[in-house]
Amino acid sequence: MTLQFSLGSAAPATVDSACVLVGVYEQGVLTSAAAQLDSAAGGMIKRQVESGDISGKAGSTTVLFAPAGVAAQRVLVVGLGAQKSFDAARYQKVNIEAARSLGRLPVANAVSYLSEVEVPGRDSAWRVRIAALACDHAAYRYTATFKPRDKSKQTELAALTFAAGTDAQGGLDQAVAIAEGVRFARELANLPPNICNPAYIAAQAQAFAEAQGKVSCSVLDEAAMAKLGFGSLLAVARGSVNKPRLIALEYKGGHDGAKPYVLVGKGVTFDSGGISLKPGAGMEEMKFDMGGAAGVLGAFVAAVKMGLKLNLACVVPAVENMPDGDSYRPSDVLTSLSGLTIEVLNTDAEGRLILCDALTYAAQTYQPQALVDAATLTGACVIALGKHATALMSKHDDLAAELLAAGEETLDRAWRLPLWDDYQAQLESGFADVANIGGKSAGAITAGCFLSRFTDGQRWAHLDIAGTAWEEGRKGLATGRPVALLAQWLLDRSEQ
């Protein structure tokens, strides 16, 4: 069920809803909406603050049921933390925690006054957009379940209204479109690899294109790629019975003949490591190795739904990396679509081998204004930046600045790593133009350096989302990153 959003302006004490949400800072400072409810309820909130039942700690929640003088059935009081240090990241966090608490209540609708909380340097449209995206993220449920449903399931939240004026409508509209893209990405990445294989991703892309105006989709199969010379990508795919696909979506939202922006996403639907087999522990998480493909497809969906005035292409190389009698091997030498030869030192460094051909194809086919790839590329990136920041690499300072700014605007943040030529020496090979790994040190950077050899002359940036694409653990879900970052970047380009 998709959460429906709207705007409203009713006074908090008079709104007829299953639940209203208001904020309280630490030290008992009430927001305007909380103060209005407190006054209508005869000081009920202040008494709970004084008793210590409401702490105001960031993200904490307290439910007040049917307070006298208030039209709503429940009041959810959300802690905002210290008022003097309240910022954008805290605002996002409290909205996520508020939505999680709402999800545990038997309510079908709610009205949030958290959208009125002042955030330094941010306007009402931004507050509504971030709140809606945070709530949609928290309300997401993986629906393609393969276990029996609980028939006695309680009422689920279906509609959420944010207190804001009409000046926030643009922000809400953007949030609805971006949220659709995030859900598209999360659902695709969460599916098991026996369902979500290369052919399945291609079918989903074609179905989306058929349902939209201005969108077309083409798919290259194994034979078509072999004819064109995709020697690197096809080598990775050789060990699997699930044959590869190269998926290309196009959106014509800009002027005829205007060069498109192009997104490329790594689509390894399951990565066993191939002959360089991964350890068994945690291998089940390798269904998420198509998180880059899911992310760029989600960003494409968001851009189309926002009706952005630009031309956009999305290229997804989709393969499965498996060990088999026909698998490619360490020490094989591959000839890429670009003509560069690659010595394979490790078959588990396969993402760059499919991306290099896809980037070459994207550059040759579209002559893009800018080319951005997203990939769950390296474990080294997770060691460097953890689960919070996406790694960004580019030789183009202006493009890097645009992407970093988009990440800050959406709180889907990235951090720039160097892409200096000093690192290229680690990729030297005695048997080919380049080796596919650069050794232990600077693994995320040398992976970016490898890709840079296939983007010569392009305005290109690389996003390593190995740490940000999914949550760890047996119940960890795909996050949908970097859909918001890329959607904002495209939105900014559209508005220029």
Side-chain angles (χ1 to χ4, degrees):
M1 180 168 60
T2 303
L3 190 55
Q4 301 297 310
F5 297 115
S6 61
L7 300 178
S9 57
T14 63
V15 67
D16 184 14
S17 173
C19 188
V20 294
L21 288 71
V22 296
V24 173
Y25 296 101
E26 287 178 355
Q27 279 78 49
V29 180
L30 274 58
T31 57
S32 173
Q36 291 178 55
L37 283 181
D38 184 63
S39 176
M44 184 178 187
I45 295 176
K46 280 186 178 177
R47 285 196 298 274
Q48 298 231 17
V49 169
E50 290 164 1
S51 70
D53 291 305
I54 294 176
S55 68
K57 182 180 177 182
S60 63
T61 56
T62 306
V63 180
L64 309 179
F65 187 77
V70 175
Q73 296 168 24
R74 298 168 188 79
V75 174
L76 183 65
V77 182
V78 183
L80 304 178
Q83 187 174 16
K84 66 179 181 179
S85 59
F86 192 79
D87 61 6
R90 179 108 54 83
Y91 178 78
Q92 182 187 49
K93 174 187 174 179
V94 299
N95 274 283
I96 288 173
E97 294 304 326
R100 285 174 178 160
S101 291
L102 269 180
R104 293 190 286 268
L105 298 174
V107 299
N109 60 81
V111 180
S112 175
Y113 289 84
L114 299 179
S115 50
E116 293 182 337
V117 176
E118 288 296 323
V119 182
R122 308 292 188 172
D123 61 13
S124 178
W126 182 91
R127 295 196 304 265
V128 165
R129 188 174 72 165
I130 290 296
L133 286 170
C135 293
D136 195 82
H137 193 277
Y140 170 81
R141 298 290 180 271
Y142 174 53
T143 55
T145 184
F146 295 90
K147 57 185 182 181
R149 288 187 175 278
D150 180 2
K151 293 182 180 178
S152 63
K153 203 170 184 182
Q154 70 174 25
T155 303
E156 286 188 355
L157 183 67
L160 184 57
T161 299
F162 296 103
T166 55
D167 58 331
Q169 187 62 51
L172 185 62
D173 293 342
Q174 290 167 6
V176 169
I178 295 170
E180 185 169 345
V182 171
R183 286 194 305 273
F184 187 96
R186 295 183 82 184
E187 201 72 6
L188 206 57
N190 285 329
L191 285 166
N194 59 317
I195 302 295
C196 184
N197 56 33
Y200 182 88
I201 296 178
Q204 295 303 299
Q206 287 173 317
F208 179 76
E210 288 168 5
Q212 308 298 321
K214 302 181 181 179
V215 177
S216 60
C217 180
S218 61
V219 178
L220 300 182
D221 62 11
E222 191 177 21
M225 284 188 276
K227 189 174 180 180
L228 290 170
F230 282 73
S232 186
L233 185 155
L234 291 175
V236 177
R238 266 178 24 205
S240 177
V241 295
N242 290 308
K243 298 306 176 186
R245 299 288 188 275
L246 187 88
I247 303 146
L249 281 161
E250 290 185 61
Y251 165 64
K252 303 284 190 182
H255 298 298
D256 286 344
K259 290 183 177 180
Y261 294 89
V262 180
L263 306 176
V264 177
K266 173 187 170 184
V268 179
T269 58
F270 186 79
D271 182 19
S272 68
I275 297 296
S276 306
L277 194 67
K278 290 178 180 291
M283 197 193 286
E284 71 281 357
E285 292 187 354
M286 287 301 98
K287 71 174 186 176
F288 294 121
D289 209 23
M290 40 68 69
V296 298
L297 287 168
F300 186 91
V301 168
V304 172
K305 293 296 182 177
M306 283 191 284
L308 298 187
K309 291 179 170 54
L310 49 71
N311 294 331
L312 176 64
C314 180
V315 177
V316 170
V319 306
E320 189 174 52
N321 186 26
M322 297 290 282
D324 178 77
D326 193 37
S327 293
Y328 77 127
R329 296 154 290 248
S331 78
D332 280 0
V333 174
L334 315 176
T335 301
S336 68
L337 180 60
S338 74
L340 285 175
T341 57
I342 304 163
E343 181 188 9
V344 178
L345 298 180
N346 190 317
T347 65
D348 194 24
E350 85 300 328
R352 65 200 72 182
L353 296 177
I354 69 170
L355 283 172
C356 69
D357 277 356
L359 287 166
T360 300
Y361 176 83
Q364 292 176 351
T365 305
Y366 299 109
Q367 294 83 49
Q369 289 197 47
L371 179 61
V372 179
D373 77 75
T376 53
L377 207 60
T378 65
C381 182
V382 189
I383 301 302
L385 296 177
K387 303 293 289 183
H388 302 291
T390 289
L392 165 64
M393 284 163 257
S394 180
K395 291 187 175 181
H396 301 271
D397 292 344
D398 56 345
L399 178 57
E402 291 169 5
L403 290 162
L404 289 170
E408 290 296 328
E409 180 71 11
T410 56
L411 305 178
D412 181 3
R413 295 181 294 183
W415 190 259
R416 192 177 182 185
L417 296 179
L419 200 60
W420 302 332
D421 288 341
D422 309 57
Y423 294 99
Q424 291 283 2
Q426 292 177 232
L427 294 169
E428 289 179 358
S429 166
F431 301 94
D433 293 318
V434 62
N436 79 323
I437 58 171
K440 258 187 172 181
S441 62
I445 294 169
T446 54
C449 286
F450 178 91
L451 295 178
S452 74
R453 297 191 180 211
F454 300 86
T455 54
D456 197 34
Q458 296 298 314
R459 188 167 173 260
W460 162 77
H462 163 57
L463 297 172
D464 192 331
I465 59 170
T468 56
W470 77 92
E471 301 154 352
E472 291 177 321
R474 289 185 62 191
K475 293 186 177 181
L477 295 172
T479 62
R481 295 178 70 179
V483 170
L485 183 160
L486 290 172
Q488 180 66 47
W489 176 66
L490 293 168
L491 175 62
D492 293 340
R493 309 284 72 75
S494 174
E495 290 178 343
Q496 285 185 345

